[in-house]
Amino acid sequence: MNNSAIEISFRFRQLNKMQALTLCREIDAVSYTAETEQQASAAIAVSESNTKQLTYSALVALKPENIEAITMFYVRQGIDLSHCDILITATVANTTSFTLPAIVNQMLKHIDCPLSFSVLT
């Protein structure tokens, strides 16, 4: 890919605060952001007191040394498969296609989750 960059991350969505902190403690270079449940899922009802409980979305760099740790966190925390994906962020210039690295297939063998793409120009 000419003048292009690809970032590949494993994304956990709808984590609680303890799960987000545990993930940061177990794996280096994790980033997470807080969002209200309404932002995370339009189908989630607001509680009776109208307080908005926070959930967290975390990104883990997808590299060989993180595959086992990601898989172990997923299993130990009992994360729902619908709350995970592999996020491919591609900044492309002067190209119409790109090839994903083998690490994506390796991760899919452990956790068969959806792929999400963000293409920036």
Side-chain angles (χ1 to χ4, degrees):
M1 290 189 336
N2 211 7
N3 297 325
S4 303
I6 296 179
E7 290 182 30
I8 302 174
S9 303
F10 192 89
R11 180 168 52 180
F12 291 102
R13 294 185 314 264
Q14 296 187 358
L15 298 176
N16 62 40
K17 185 162 187 157
M18 186 58 73
Q19 288 173 319
L21 293 173
T22 299
L23 183 61
C24 288
R25 195 172 54 246
E26 291 180 2
I27 305 174
D28 291 331
V30 172
S31 64
Y32 67 91
T33 57
E35 50 191 28
T36 64
E37 284 189 17
Q38 286 180 335
Q39 290 172 327
S41 173
I44 297 175
V46 177
S47 67
E48 292 176 15
S49 64
N50 258 351
T51 58
K52 297 174 184 166
Q53 186 174 5
L54 290 178
T55 60
Y56 297 84
S57 180
L59 291 174
V60 181
L62 191 53
K63 45 190 180 180
E65 58 268 22
N66 288 344
I67 289 180
E68 185 177 340
I70 290 168
T71 304
M72 293 304 296
F73 179 82
Y74 169 80
V75 170
R76 278 196 314 262
Q77 296 294 321
I79 305 293
D80 189 300
L81 186 60
S82 66
H83 297 160
C84 303
D85 65 355
I86 297 173
L87 177 64
I88 294 104
T89 304
T91 305
V92 295
N94 301 325
T95 188
T96 58
S97 65
F98 57 90
T99 302
L100 295 177
I103 189 77
V104 173
N105 287 339
Q106 291 170 356
M107 187 70 231
L108 290 171
K109 289 177 184 177
H110 294 272
I111 303 173
D112 190 16
C113 61
L115 300 175
S116 296
F117 294 87
S118 175
V119 179
L120 310 169
T121 55

